[in-house]
Amino acid sequence: MPEIIPDRSLSYIEGTQRVFDQDKTLDKAKEGLKGIGVTRVAGITDLDRLGIPVFSTIRPSAAEGAISVYSGKGTTESQARISAMMESYERCLAERKGLNKDVEEDIAAPHTITTYDEISEYGPALRPESLLISEAYSSENLIEWILGWDLLKKNEVAVPANAVYHPYEAPGQTVQLFRTNTNGLAAGNVLEEAILHGLLEVIERDALSTAEFNRYPEKEIILTEEDGENYEILQRFTTNDVEVKLWLLPHDTDIPTIVAATDDIRLKDPALLVMGAGSHLKPEIAIKRALTEAAQSRVVQIHGAREDTEREKFVREIGYDRIKRMNRYWYEEGKKVSMADIRDLSKNSPAENIDTVLEQLGKIVDSVIVVNLSRESIPVPVVRVIVPGFEMYTLDRERLGKRAKAGKKKKMSREERPWRHRVHK
């Protein structure tokens, strides 16, 4: 696989974290929609009373085992359209050649089938165990491999195709190591933008998984009018009787991951106890992403409830009070912080932002791998980012690693720990 060197001539538009403005980005995203099988882009904002823009894209040709309706969010209709379109590119280009009904072109990275022991004789290879595998595995098993690029070590590395493609079925006599997901799958105007988005998503899922496993989000963010647009977005929720708890999750990098946990106190609908999450070097963007994703989650639940009657029946049987009680750590009080308390690590270009993320990750991991899924025939680049050892418990409960188990936990008083009480005779 060719060396990935971030283009240092690219810079953000002044006052933004974008290489192109919204109009140019929208035009670029529209350009390739037919080529990836998208047949419809629709606004679904009006399904909810909040009025925060949410759009969906429909791709009927999606591979078996993948979803065909994608959604996107933003503070403007253009942002929400772009977000939904970008997810379409991610999902389409994550499908392998042959399974993909829209794109015949293959990715540039070479593939091979062999054992870990054999492939590691030819160069660096990622140990399958580092991917938190849930299935039985032997180093003698046949595995399908793809070449990726390690951004930290600056060399090629073979990674299991199981960690790259989605959906994935192991070919022939090869083993399937785990169920696939979309963690680290990202699109962008340029390759550098896609890589940064993928890095941030992997960090977000790691932080969220650790907080969920330990039931401890730690710090509650309080927004005020001084926080501008984010406060205005928050008001969209609160003035419509939707309570929001904003959390700054604990993590061993300084990159902020924010969660917005919502509760519709008007409807008290268990299906609307939803969250949104976002990571970014710039705290205000991370908060904005969490809030708008929470709005997106509400609309998706409302839309899905009309079609998924079995799920609707399931959440109704559990009930609002029980679901909220099961997830009460998202709705309890936390140590209060302001947006101004969160350090802004953002720079003026994608390459500088990638450098900052790699500097943070380099303190805790040995490898940060990118597999380029882009095709020359498709105008939007897509990558898969893999950080070995990082958690994805929030996506797959069977894949739990050491990081989540070692994560921060709430310090409890003696009264909160009845199992520690001694019975005196």
Side-chain angles (χ1 to χ4, degrees):
M1 181 178 177
E3 182 179 2
I4 294 178
I5 304 175
D7 184 350
R8 297 192 177 276
S9 70
L10 292 171
S11 60
Y12 293 130
I13 297 170
E14 187 175 354
T16 76
Q17 289 279 292
R18 301 189 194 96
V19 174
F20 302 147
D21 63 25
Q22 281 187 38
D23 291 342
K24 187 171 182 179
T25 301
L26 188 57
D27 288 343
K28 186 178 179 70
K30 285 179 178 178
E31 182 185 339
L33 288 182
K34 186 176 179 181
I36 61 170
V38 170
T39 59
R40 188 180 178 209
V41 180
I44 53 176
T45 309
D46 292 342
L47 291 175
D48 194 10
R49 64 183 189 269
L50 300 186
I52 296 172
V54 180
F55 270 70
S56 71
T57 50
I58 300 172
R59 182 174 165 255
S61 55
E64 185 177 352
I67 62 173
S68 58
V69 180
Y70 321 118
S71 58
K73 76 286 185 187
T75 56
T76 67
E77 286 199 355
S78 288
Q79 287 178 4
R81 282 179 187 271
I82 292 165
S83 176
M85 291 177 184
M86 289 299 185
E87 186 171 345
S88 302
Y89 284 103
E90 293 167 9
R91 295 302 186 102
C92 176
L93 298 192
E95 296 173 2
R96 69 183 311 147
K97 182 181 178 181
L99 192 65
N100 194 317
K101 297 175 183 177
D102 301 299
V103 183
E104 295 183 1
E105 183 185 354
D106 203 354
I107 66 174
H111 299 58
T112 191
I113 293 175
T114 186
T115 65
Y116 171 78
D117 288 342
E118 288 175 343
I119 200 165
S120 59
E121 291 179 4
Y122 295 95
L126 187 62
R127 296 194 69 89
E129 296 93 331
S130 69
L131 296 171
L132 312 182
I133 60 177
S134 56
E135 303 296 327
Y137 157 76
S138 164
S139 61
E140 298 177 356
N141 290 139
L142 288 175
I143 293 174
E144 183 182 18
W145 301 87
I146 296 177
L147 279 184
W149 183 259
D150 192 325
L151 292 172
L152 285 181
K153 296 178 179 175
K154 294 183 169 48
N155 60 17
E156 287 185 332
V157 58
V159 298
N162 199 162
V164 177
Y165 291 124
H166 176 74
Y168 180 79
E169 286 190 12
Q173 297 181 6
T174 63
V175 295
Q176 181 141 348
L177 301 167
F178 43 77
R179 293 190 298 268
T180 59
N181 56 52
T182 61
N183 190 36
L185 196 58
N189 279 305
V190 294
L191 186 65
E192 291 77 6
E193 205 170 78
I195 290 171
L196 180 62
H197 292 165
L199 289 168
L200 292 171
E201 180 169 274
V202 171
I203 291 168
E204 173 196 309
R205 298 278 169 71
D206 182 66
L208 181 55
S209 294
T210 303
E212 282 194 332
F213 178 75
N214 293 293
R215 303 177 67 81
Y216 185 47
E218 191 177 29
K219 296 178 182 178
E220 182 183 351
I221 303 169
I222 304 299
L223 297 182
T224 67
E225 291 184 32
E226 294 179 358
D227 295 316
E229 187 178 25
N230 280 332
Y231 181 76
E232 293 171 7
I233 298 170
L234 179 63
Q235 291 300 104
R236 293 279 196 100
F237 288 87
T238 57
T239 57
N240 281 287
D241 298 326
V242 179
E243 292 184 346
V244 180
K245 285 278 191 178
L246 276 174
W247 296 98
L248 172 63
L249 302 186
H251 200 250
D252 44 9
T253 70
D254 295 324
I255 298 167
T257 294
I258 311 299
V259 164
T262 68
D263 177 9
D264 193 322
I265 58 174
R266 183 190 301 179
L267 298 179
K268 294 196 173 182
D269 184 341
L272 295 180
L273 287 165
V274 296
M275 301 190 310
S279 289
H280 202 277
L281 295 168
K282 197 171 191 64
E284 65 186 71
I285 294 179
I287 292 171
K288 188 182 301 180
R289 286 183 176 177
L291 287 168
T292 54
E293 186 172 281
Q296 173 185 309
S297 297
R298 281 178 57 86
V299 174
V300 169
Q301 291 299 326
I302 293 166
H303 185 255
R306 297 180 176 181
E307 301 173 359
D308 190 352
T309 54
E310 287 301 315
R311 182 191 181 282
E312 186 76 1
K313 181 180 177 183
F314 176 73
V315 296
R316 292 285 176 271
E317 286 178 351
I318 292 180
Y320 167 83
D321 290 330
R322 186 178 175 192
I323 287 183
K324 188 172 180 182
R325 188 167 60 250
M326 290 165 61
N327 297 282
R328 60 183 176 273
Y329 57 97
W330 292 118
Y331 302 98
E332 294 172 340
E333 295 297 306
K335 178 184 176 182
K336 306 296 190 291
V337 295
S338 69
M339 190 168 80
D341 293 327
I342 309 171
R343 186 179 170 199
D344 185 346
L345 298 174
S346 64
K347 306 298 182 182
N348 297 319
S349 72
E352 289 176 300
N353 274 348
I354 290 170
D355 289 345
T356 300
V357 175
L358 293 178
E359 181 184 354
Q360 292 283 320
L361 291 175
K363 299 172 184 177
I364 52 177
V365 298
D366 297 324
S367 294
V368 176
I369 300 164
V370 175
V371 178
N372 192 349
L373 299 175
S374 307
R375 319 291 207 272
E376 288 188 6
S377 59
I378 303 299
V380 173
V382 172
V383 302
R384 171 79 82 160
V385 172
I386 302 164
V387 179
F390 262 38
E391 300 289 347
M392 53 189 77
Y393 174 81
T394 188
L395 297 172
D396 188 339
R397 293 297 196 255
E398 292 182 359
R399 297 175 69 186
L400 181 66
K402 297 177 181 178
R403 289 178 54 75
K405 294 175 182 177
K408 279 193 175 184
K409 298 171 178 62
K410 183 179 180 181
K411 293 181 180 178
M412 296 184 180
S413 65
R414 180 179 174 82
E415 290 70 26
E416 292 176 301
R417 295 179 291 171
W419 61 89
R420 298 292 298 273
H421 292 182
R422 293 181 179 178
V423 177
H424 297 282
K425 294 183 179 180

